[in-house]
Amino acid sequence: MKLAIAQLNPTIGDLSGNVQQIIERSIETAGQGAELMLTPELSLCGYPPRDLLLNPSFIEAMTAALQEIAAKVPSHLMVLVGFAEPNPQAPEVGSKPLYNSMACIKAGQVRQVIRKRLLPTYDVFDEDRYFASGEQPGILDCCGLKLGVTICEDLWNDEQFWGHRSYTVNPIAELVERQVDLIVNLSASPFVIGKQRVREAMLTHSAQRHGCPIVYVNQLGGNDDLIFDGRSVAVDIQGSIAGRAQAFKTDLLCIKFDSEKKTLRSSISHPLEGDHAEIWAALVLGVQDYARKCGFTQAVLGLSGGIDSALVGAIATAALGPENVLGVLMPSPYSSDHSIKDAQDLAVNLGFKTEVIPIADLMGAYDQSLSCIFSDTEPGIAEENIQARIRGAILMAIANKFGRLLISTGNKSELAVGYCTLYGDMSGGLAAISDVPKTRVYSLCRWLNSEAGQQAFNAQSSEIIPKNILTKPPSAELKPNQVDQDSLPPYDQLDDILARIVDQHQSQTQIVAAGHAAAIVQRVMQLVHRAEFKRRQAPPGLKITDRAFGTGWRMPIAAKH
Amino acid sequence: MKLAIAQLNPTIGDLSGNVQQIIERSIETAGQGAELMLTPELSLCGYPPRDLLLNPSFIEAMTAALQEIAAKVPSHLMVLVGFAEPNPQAPEVGSKPLYNSMACIKAGQVRQVIRKRLLPTYDVFDEDRYFASGEQPGILDCCGLKLGVTICEDLWNDEQFWGHRSYTVNPIAELVERQVDLIVNLSASPFVIGKQRVREAMLTHSAQRHGCPIVYVNQLGGNDDLIFDGRSVAVDIQGSIAGRAQAFKTDLLCIKFDSEKKTLRSSISHPLEGDHAEIWAALVLGVQDYARKCGFTQAVLGLSGGIDSALVGAIATAALGPENVLGVLMPSPYSSDHSIKDAQDLAVNLGFKTEVIPIADLMGAYDQSLSCIFSDTEPGIAEENIQARIRGAILMAIANKFGRLLISTGNKSELAVGYCTLYGDMSGGLAAISDVPKTRVYSLCRWLNSEAGQQAFNAQSSEIIPKNILTKPPSAELKPNQVDQDSLPPYDQLDDILARIVDQHQSQTQIVAAGHAAAIVQRVMQLVHRAEFKRRQAPPGLKITDRAFGTGWRMPIAAKH
């Protein structure tokens, strides 16, 4: 049997656009002689649809859209399409009103529906909010073969692989007991650094353990904070990767399944890339899709001459093209001479235009306006924040005036400890690197200047990020001769402490035991807690770690701990 | 038997402070001769603790805190304390790592633990994210009586009352089958307009249906967006309210239970109030607790002379005292003469100080700074937003300089359609009325000027909100002679359409069928969708309706629908 993985990039809620994509891919698939086309989880509405699922008319429209697909895909092709299925028994039995399901379409009809069994409800996932669990193993007859159909999380409960269970049942084991020929898994699994290695190790383990080949289909594309990396794979019973679809690009991957030998074969298998290459590609796709799906073609960002805005400038350029990026330099009397030059050098390297709008006069005007109420006070944080807010207001004015997306440039380390100004440098529609710790910002920029980075960027020049930006000490330049390390521990220390607090849920005692000074750990913990009110108002930030601030970080503000 | 309801106001995560409250109340309870003291759901850590529950050290500290309570409460008193209980079987059986539990403490020991069975996962609730469901009916022996112990949601699945089931089991029915003498329910149920009537109707129904009296304990206090209104009640088998604790205040309510006659008696029963009185009390408590639990004593707000800031000024005054409120008037050349006078009149009525900081010079400075890049463009939204952002920056500067909480003044109608400026009038630590529709803002202000309102406010004057503020047409005053109705449908129409979209999940077809013009409905729906990026960055707003923007509103931004 020949089957095809349609690694689609749906827009959330855009049923007609998504239907169109599925139909086009199905025609292409049929043209290649395949008998089955697989699409990702909830491919009809895109993942995650979130509270759109609470609108009954949206659910009805999905059922109608399935009929349209059924009418228009080549009739001899079987297509699996993900959709939200009404659960009419809900009020009677007391379960949730929907299932996260997969419709099997063939010959103009929805022939069968298979329901997701394991519903993730952790981190960014809220599936118990909407869905009831399917109770039956999903078995499909396809060209005389017995296909085990699973949806995303259904695959993620192998107690041997994880060393523990996360759910009471293991749908894979139940399918294997029923002697399926092949397991397919239809996913929408968001990118996290190194996650593909985990996915493939898990797939390999399951395929080998059960002696059953697995075809894994992943969604592609950026949806707000989440970036879906694709990299759908076919894994045979030896545990080897028979085929791998592209990373961070839509794809249509054809695979031959020999049911006698239980082997999978594909003529194409894209290689895996290293951490920096995948982070880079993820962030570029995240910016690109956020802009496109929100209807923006152009972006603007503030250029401080520092490393964060340098990286974001490079990402925006790769995502939208240099002709669509505008960098705005807003020097103050505290800006160092080199920061203007560094920012200009960066813009030249990247090929985008800049504007210079000095803020001294505006600072003076605020001083003047506030002179009465601020008399008898010493300049401090309030005045530093004013500078950042002037810049935020200028950038937003440009964004509003010209319909550009403002991309904010703050990194994860500063968002964690609140070393950023709400309504100032935090302003923007999207935070491109707010899940990238400062030490990783540096290493990404160094990588970008390497041969691999230049290739990924498609750069001619031998330098993307100007050397001086990489080597000078980081500074917010909000007062004379300020450097970040006046207020914060060195970033390598800080980032290690933050990873322990944020990602690993460690206690003060544990972090001190790992070798950090107690006073520093305590201070960082306090800073993290106190910055919660800022993070609550941050723009969506592209997630690249296991624990990003944003939809998967749900902390109280008015709290004491 | 004599029992006491301790209607506590915990601070989220503040174990030592919450332990202290429980111990103090237990001593008071014992002094009144009661044998059992009931506290709200998760009374040890406060509800909702959210992702603090993911920190293992936090869970360990809770277990230790229980021991401290056990050691310090009067030994002959039985005390029920809510806590998060580790679920050691989780990795083996594949369930969540915690239970939402109630510890029964007596004579220096935790004698029994009872687990919550029904876990709400809708609106603002995320309990499936953290907790496994308890599987056994919670039965406790107390002074020879058989007590049925339930936790919050356990009570909310009476299929007769609701006309449908929300969960497969009904813990109340299971307890009644086991012939308990009395059911207690330990809750943390957030305020929504009119919810107490629903709660009491439900309690009455259940008590009558099962012939079993119910004692319902609710948490008190504001925790970020959620306001817990208390109003714990004792309901006897005739369905009458034998006692009701205070609304929006901590309380200790003693109740006598006659196990022979199955009657409940209390010497005190506070009356229910009308919608406006309860909304007012809720918002005042919400502001008060947010400020206190974040460590603020003083607040600042912008006073436009309009009705929204008038209402928020009154709420802030009632919450924090007039001496702790500062109103800032920031007139522009587009401000009408009356707006300054109206704002000053309001401040006089409320007794708080004002500052006047005109913004014309700052507007000029921005015009100047942006003149080059904005040349050849017409003034429009960008310039209007600059005005709002100047005001936001001035308010934040004052907040930063003097350690005041900035309370933002936008209402729900404008937040819904995006008739507000991100980083401008949306700035603040807390949005006091962002869940109050504009028409309700008016009716609340009229109520405040009534005898009942003046009493609630404890006002001497016969006018709290100046008449002119109530009667003039609403305007953002961001350009000459602007009124809201230039851009929006009349507010009574708009609010009805919004309630249908936001609260009732209605489709365009349904709303048109209800009598609204199709073009207007379509436009409002578009506005609501397009404002999603603003709402994502809004400060927490006090929830008073079934569906508030905020933690219970989870919509995609980069979407099409």
Side-chain angles (χ1 to χ4, degrees):
Chain A
M1 182 183 65
K2 196 168 176 184
L3 59 92
I5 294 173
Q7 186 171 287
L8 302 169
N9 186 349
T11 294
I12 302 292
D14 181 16
L15 301 186
S16 65
N18 301 339
V19 163
Q20 200 49 38
Q21 276 191 46
I22 292 169
I23 293 169
E24 283 167 13
R25 285 304 201 177
S26 74
I27 293 166
E28 205 178 327
T29 297
Q32 297 187 19
E35 292 138 298
L36 171 67
M37 183 176 95
L38 307 170
T39 71
E41 179 178 19
L42 292 181
S43 52
L44 198 49
C45 59
Y47 191 95
R50 298 168 62 84
D51 277 4
L52 292 179
L53 294 174
L54 303 182
N55 294 336
S57 59
F58 185 66
I59 305 303
E60 286 161 26
M62 244 185 278
T63 307
L66 273 188
Q67 297 306 326
E68 189 188 344
I69 294 174
K72 294 190 181 166
V73 299
S75 69
H76 57 282
L77 181 69
M78 180 181 282
V79 180
L80 301 192
V81 178
F83 75 112
E85 180 199 358
N87 171 10
Q89 277 76 49
E92 198 180 319
V93 301
S95 60
K96 291 282 180 179
L98 299 172
Y99 291 105
N100 181 340
S101 294
M102 190 56 62
C104 167
I105 290 172
K106 196 175 177 184
Q109 287 179 9
V110 175
R111 304 223 311 208
Q112 191 176 335
V113 168
I114 285 168
R115 295 168 179 165
K116 186 174 185 176
R117 306 192 61 198
L118 307 186
L119 302 172
T121 299
Y122 54 79
D123 189 27
V124 299
F125 302 109
D126 279 322
E127 294 201 17
D128 279 349
R129 182 175 171 89
Y130 312 105
F131 298 118
S133 291
E135 294 185 350
Q136 298 302 322
I139 296 178
L140 199 67
D141 174 30
C142 178
C143 313
L145 295 178
K146 216 169 162 185
L147 221 64
V149 179
T150 60
I151 302 177
C152 205
E153 196 79 355
D154 290 347
L155 194 67
W156 292 71
N157 192 30
D158 189 310
E159 78 290 353
Q160 286 187 3
F161 182 77
W162 296 107
H164 66 267
R165 288 181 213 272
S166 299
Y167 304 87
T168 50
V169 296
N170 180 353
I172 302 300
E174 292 188 7
L175 288 170
V176 171
E177 270 173 35
R178 285 163 180 75
Q179 299 179 307
V180 294
D181 296 296
L182 173 68
I183 288 175
V184 300
N185 181 270
L186 311 155
S187 280
S189 173
F191 172 71
V192 156
I193 303 167
K195 191 166 180 185
Q196 183 68 6
R197 286 192 295 275
V198 178
R199 286 180 195 136
E200 294 189 5
M202 180 185 70
L203 287 161
T204 294
H205 170 92
S206 289
Q208 287 177 328
R209 173 181 175 188
H210 297 297
C212 182
I214 305 178
V215 174
Y216 170 86
V217 182
N218 196 14
Q219 182 178 271
L220 197 276
N223 289 329
D224 291 357
D225 51 335
L226 303 183
I227 305 152
F228 297 85
D229 50 328
R231 306 197 273 199
S232 306
V233 287
V235 184
D236 65 25
I237 53 173
Q238 282 75 41
S240 58
I241 304 295
R244 185 188 292 116
Q246 294 201 80
F248 305 102
K249 292 204 175 97
T250 56
D251 205 352
L252 187 70
L253 183 71
C254 277
I255 293 158
K256 278 197 177 153
F257 175 55
D258 181 328
S259 59
E260 293 299 308
K261 300 183 190 153
K262 291 202 169 190
T263 55
L264 291 164
R265 256 188 327 118
S266 167
S267 55
I268 298 169
S269 195
H270 296 274
L272 285 188
E273 290 172 312
D275 283 359
H276 287 108
E278 68 172 18
I279 297 172
W280 170 258
L283 297 176
V284 170
L285 178 62
V287 167
Q288 195 165 55
D289 271 6
Y290 186 84
R292 179 174 62 83
K293 293 176 182 181
C294 286
F296 291 100
T297 53
Q298 300 194 304
V300 57
L301 75 156
L303 285 190
S304 68
I307 190 129
D308 298 316
S309 55
L311 178 58
V312 175
I315 294 167
T317 302
L320 305 170
E323 68 283 10
N324 291 316
V325 176
L326 174 66
V328 184
L329 285 70
M330 295 165 285
S332 83
Y334 308 134
S335 300
S336 53
D337 296 337
H338 62 74
S339 48
I340 311 217
K341 184 180 179 308
D342 292 343
Q344 297 283 25
D345 288 350
L346 174 84
V348 168
N349 290 359
L350 295 171
F352 62 70
K353 272 194 306 188
T354 57
E355 292 278 345
V356 181
I357 303 177
I359 64 165
D361 290 351
L362 277 161
M363 288 165 65
Y366 275 103
D367 279 348
Q368 191 59 39
S369 299
L370 292 163
S371 60
C372 210
I373 190 167
F374 280 10
S375 63
D376 306 325
T377 71
E378 288 298 310
I381 300 285
E383 284 79 3
E384 294 184 28
N385 283 339
I386 286 173
Q387 292 171 58
R389 292 192 178 114
I390 290 170
R391 294 189 175 115
I394 289 173
L395 291 168
M396 285 300 293
I398 294 170
N400 291 161
K401 177 64 84 175
F402 302 107
R404 284 178 183 264
L405 170 65
L406 173 56
I407 305 179
S408 74
T409 57
N411 63 63
K412 188 178 194 176
S413 311
E414 59 189 37
L415 188 60
V417 294
Y419 199 73
C420 49
T421 300
L422 190 57
Y423 321 136
D425 51 304
M426 290 177 68
S427 301
L430 181 71
I433 60 168
S434 72
D435 196 32
V436 185
K438 187 82 172 188
T439 48
R440 181 72 89 171
V441 171
Y442 276 101
S443 68
L444 259 174
C445 284
R446 282 192 300 265
W447 172 84
L448 205 52
N449 275 1
S450 74
E451 206 174 317
Q454 286 167 42
Q455 236 165 31
F457 190 82
N458 204 7
Q460 307 303 319
S461 120
S462 67
E463 179 195 78
I464 296 171
I465 309 294
K467 214 154 279 144
N468 197 43
I469 292 180
L470 277 160
T471 52
K472 66 186 177 184
S475 165
E477 297 195 335
L478 293 171
K479 58 184 181 183
N481 303 317
Q482 184 182 37
V483 293
D484 293 9
Q485 257 64 81
D486 295 344
S487 330
L488 299 174
Y491 278 116
D492 53 348
Q493 253 186 61
L494 179 65
D495 281 354
D496 186 64
I497 296 173
L498 288 173
R500 291 169 187 278
I501 297 173
V502 174
D503 300 31
Q504 296 162 43
H505 309 288
Q506 289 189 7
S507 68
Q508 196 176 327
T509 316
Q510 287 173 300
I511 303 173
V512 171
H516 292 285
I520 293 178
V521 175
Q522 190 173 9
R523 187 153 156 273
V524 172
M525 286 188 137
Q526 262 176 7
L527 290 172
V528 170
H529 172 44
R530 283 189 198 150
E532 202 53 59
F533 79 99
K534 295 188 187 181
R535 285 191 292 270
R536 187 70 71 91
Q537 298 187 45
L542 300 176
K543 176 180 164 79
I544 65 161
T545 70
D546 277 323
R547 190 139 165 81
F549 302 122
T551 55
W553 173 267
R554 302 180 187 175
M555 282 289 178
I557 300 173
K560 195 171 164 187
H561 51 94
Chain B
M1 183 184 62
K2 196 168 175 183
L3 59 93
I5 294 173
Q7 186 170 288
L8 301 170
N9 185 349
T11 294
I12 302 294
D14 181 16
L15 300 186
S16 65
N18 300 339
V19 163
Q20 200 50 40
Q21 276 191 47
I22 292 169
I23 293 170
E24 283 167 13
R25 285 304 201 180
S26 74
I27 292 166
E28 203 179 329
T29 298
Q32 298 188 16
E35 291 138 299
L36 171 67
M37 184 176 96
L38 307 171
T39 70
E41 180 178 18
L42 292 181
S43 52
L44 198 50
C45 60
Y47 192 95
R50 299 169 60 87
D51 278 3
L52 293 180
L53 293 174
L54 303 183
N55 294 337
S57 59
F58 185 65
I59 306 303
E60 286 161 26
M62 243 185 279
T63 307
L66 273 188
Q67 297 305 326
E68 189 189 342
I69 294 175
K72 293 191 181 164
V73 299
S75 69
H76 57 282
L77 181 70
M78 181 181 281
V79 180
L80 300 193
V81 178
F83 75 112
E85 179 199 358
N87 171 12
Q89 277 77 47
E92 197 180 319
V93 302
S95 60
K96 291 281 180 178
L98 299 172
Y99 291 105
N100 180 340
S101 294
M102 190 57 63
C104 168
I105 290 172
K106 197 174 176 184
Q109 287 179 8
V110 175
R111 304 221 314 207
Q112 194 177 333
V113 168
I114 285 168
R115 294 168 179 164
K116 186 175 185 176
R117 306 192 61 197
L118 307 186
L119 302 173
T121 299
Y122 54 79
D123 190 27
V124 298
F125 302 108
D126 279 322
E127 294 201 18
D128 279 349
R129 182 174 172 89
Y130 312 106
F131 299 117
S133 292
E135 294 187 350
Q136 299 301 322
I139 296 178
L140 199 66
D141 174 31
C142 178
C143 314
L145 296 177
K146 217 169 161 184
L147 221 66
V149 180
T150 59
I151 301 178
C152 205
E153 196 80 354
D154 291 346
L155 194 67
W156 292 71
N157 192 30
D158 189 310
E159 78 289 353
Q160 286 187 4
F161 181 78
W162 296 108
H164 66 267
R165 288 180 214 272
S166 300
Y167 305 88
T168 50
V169 296
N170 180 354
I172 302 298
E174 292 189 7
L175 288 170
V176 170
E177 272 173 34
R178 285 163 181 76
Q179 299 180 305
V180 294
D181 295 296
L182 173 68
I183 287 175
V184 299
N185 181 272
L186 311 156
S187 280
S189 173
F191 172 72
V192 156
I193 304 166
K195 189 164 179 188
Q196 183 68 7
R197 288 192 294 277
V198 177
R199 286 182 196 134
E200 294 189 5
M202 180 186 70
L203 287 162
T204 294
H205 171 91
S206 290
Q208 288 177 327
R209 174 181 175 190
H210 298 296
C212 182
I214 305 178
V215 174
Y216 170 84
V217 183
N218 195 13
Q219 181 177 273
L220 196 277
N223 291 328
D224 291 356
D225 50 335
L226 303 184
I227 304 152
F228 297 86
D229 49 328
R231 305 197 275 199
S232 306
V233 287
V235 185
D236 65 25
I237 53 174
Q238 282 75 42
S240 58
I241 304 294
R244 185 188 292 115
Q246 292 201 80
F248 304 103
K249 292 205 174 96
T250 56
D251 205 352
L252 187 70
L253 183 70
C254 277
I255 295 158
K256 278 197 179 153
F257 174 56
D258 181 329
S259 58
E260 294 298 310
K261 300 183 189 149
K262 291 201 169 191
T263 56
L264 291 164
R265 257 187 327 119
S266 166
S267 55
I268 299 168
S269 194
H270 296 274
L272 284 187
E273 291 172 310
D275 282 0
H276 286 108
E278 68 172 19
I279 297 172
W280 170 258
L283 297 176
V284 170
L285 178 63
V287 168
Q288 196 165 54
D289 272 4
Y290 186 83
R292 179 173 62 83
K293 293 176 182 181
C294 287
F296 291 101
T297 53
Q298 300 194 304
V300 58
L301 74 158
L303 285 190
S304 68
I307 189 129
D308 298 316
S309 56
L311 177 58
V312 175
I315 293 166
T317 302
L320 306 170
E323 69 283 10
N324 291 316
V325 176
L326 174 66
V328 183
L329 285 71
M330 294 164 287
S332 82
Y334 308 133
S335 300
S336 53
D337 296 339
H338 62 74
S339 48
I340 311 220
K341 183 179 180 310
D342 293 342
Q344 296 284 22
D345 287 351
L346 174 84
V348 168
N349 290 358
L350 295 171
F352 62 69
K353 272 194 305 189
T354 58
E355 291 280 346
V356 181
I357 302 177
I359 64 165
D361 290 351
L362 277 161
M363 288 165 64
Y366 275 102
D367 279 349
Q368 190 60 40
S369 298
L370 293 163
S371 61
C372 208
I373 190 168
F374 280 10
S375 63
D376 306 325
T377 70
E378 288 298 309
I381 299 285
E383 285 78 2
E384 294 184 29
N385 282 340
I386 287 172
Q387 292 172 58
R389 290 192 180 115
I390 289 170
R391 293 188 174 115
I394 288 173
L395 291 168
M396 284 301 293
I398 293 170
N400 291 161
K401 178 65 84 176
F402 303 106
R404 286 177 181 265
L405 170 65
L406 173 56
I407 305 179
S408 73
T409 56
N411 63 63
K412 188 178 194 175
S413 312
E414 60 190 36
L415 188 61
V417 293
Y419 199 72
C420 48
T421 300
L422 189 58
Y423 321 136
D425 51 304
M426 289 178 71
S427 301
L430 182 72
I433 59 168
S434 72
D435 196 33
V436 185
K438 187 81 171 187
T439 48
R440 182 70 89 168
V441 171
Y442 275 101
S443 67
L444 260 174
C445 284
R446 283 192 299 266
W447 172 84
L448 204 53
N449 275 359
S450 74
E451 207 174 316
Q454 285 167 42
Q455 239 167 27
F457 191 81
N458 205 7
Q460 307 303 319
S461 117
S462 65
E463 180 194 78
I464 295 171
I465 309 294
K467 214 154 278 142
N468 197 43
I469 292 181
L470 278 160
T471 52
K472 67 185 177 184
S475 166
E477 297 196 334
L478 293 172
K479 59 185 181 183
N481 303 317
Q482 184 183 37
V483 294
D484 293 8
Q485 257 63 82
D486 296 343
S487 330
L488 299 174
Y491 277 116
D492 52 348
Q493 255 185 59
L494 179 64
D495 281 354
D496 186 65
I497 296 173
L498 289 173
R500 291 170 187 277
I501 297 172
V502 175
D503 300 30
Q504 295 161 44
H505 310 286
Q506 289 189 9
S507 67
Q508 193 177 330
T509 316
Q510 286 173 300
I511 304 174
V512 170
H516 292 284
I520 293 178
V521 175
Q522 190 172 10
R523 185 151 158 275
V524 171
M525 286 188 137
Q526 260 176 8
L527 290 173
V528 170
H529 172 44
R530 283 190 197 152
E532 203 53 59
F533 79 100
K534 296 188 187 183
R535 286 191 292 270
R536 187 68 72 90
Q537 297 187 46
L542 300 175
K543 176 179 165 79
I544 66 161
T545 69
D546 277 324
R547 191 142 165 79
F549 301 122
T551 55
W553 173 267
R554 302 179 187 175
M555 282 289 179
I557 299 173
K560 194 171 165 187
H561 52 95

